[in-house]
Amino acid sequence: MQVSITGHHVEVTEALKAYVDEKISKIKRHFDNVVDVHVILTVEKLEQKAEAAVQISGAKLYAEDVQEDMYAAIDNMVDKLDRQIVKHKEKNQNHR
């Protein structure tokens, strides 16, 4: 699994990278076929935005969240991705 993290109007520190990697590993726990994860962290005035595009075998998933705190935005974004991956996994198992 390849994880790339970029920042728009924000410097991506080692602490942010470590936090994102820790949270993204939660996705790997549910679904083994995660190919690529691209995370974009953006700051616009008082809004902290985290968005991610996840390439898994058979689909591409996208989630974003806007909060006043970057860490809260990352948490909510990963929760949204996690729900999408579980739904995708269940859908694949039901059709086969």
Side-chain angles (χ1 to χ4, degrees):
M1 174 172 73
Q2 182 179 359
V3 178
S4 61
I5 303 169
T6 57
H8 289 235
H9 306 291
V10 65
E11 181 181 339
V12 181
T13 62
E14 289 299 320
L16 273 175
K17 284 183 183 179
Y19 191 75
V20 170
D21 284 337
E22 175 189 332
K23 292 297 179 175
I24 293 294
S25 67
K26 178 181 177 183
I27 292 171
K28 183 77 170 162
R29 186 178 61 203
H30 285 290
F31 195 67
D32 293 333
N33 299 332
V34 177
V35 177
D36 184 38
V37 180
H38 184 71
V39 179
I40 301 172
L41 306 175
T42 309
V43 175
E44 295 175 1
K45 295 190 180 181
L46 298 176
E47 293 181 341
Q48 313 274 333
K49 181 177 178 183
E51 54 187 300
V54 177
Q55 180 73 37
I56 59 176
S57 59
K60 187 166 189 170
L61 306 175
Y62 177 80
E64 71 175 69
D65 194 66
V66 178
Q67 297 287 328
E68 289 184 9
D69 180 37
M70 182 62 78
Y71 292 98
I74 293 169
D75 285 343
N76 291 343
M77 182 235 355
V78 170
D79 288 342
K80 289 176 183 179
L81 277 175
D82 196 37
R83 284 193 302 268
Q84 289 180 19
I85 285 179
V86 168
K87 185 175 179 180
H88 176 76
K89 185 178 176 181
E90 288 174 357
K91 196 183 288 187
N92 280 348
Q93 288 176 347
N94 288 341
H95 286 291
R96 292 184 181 169

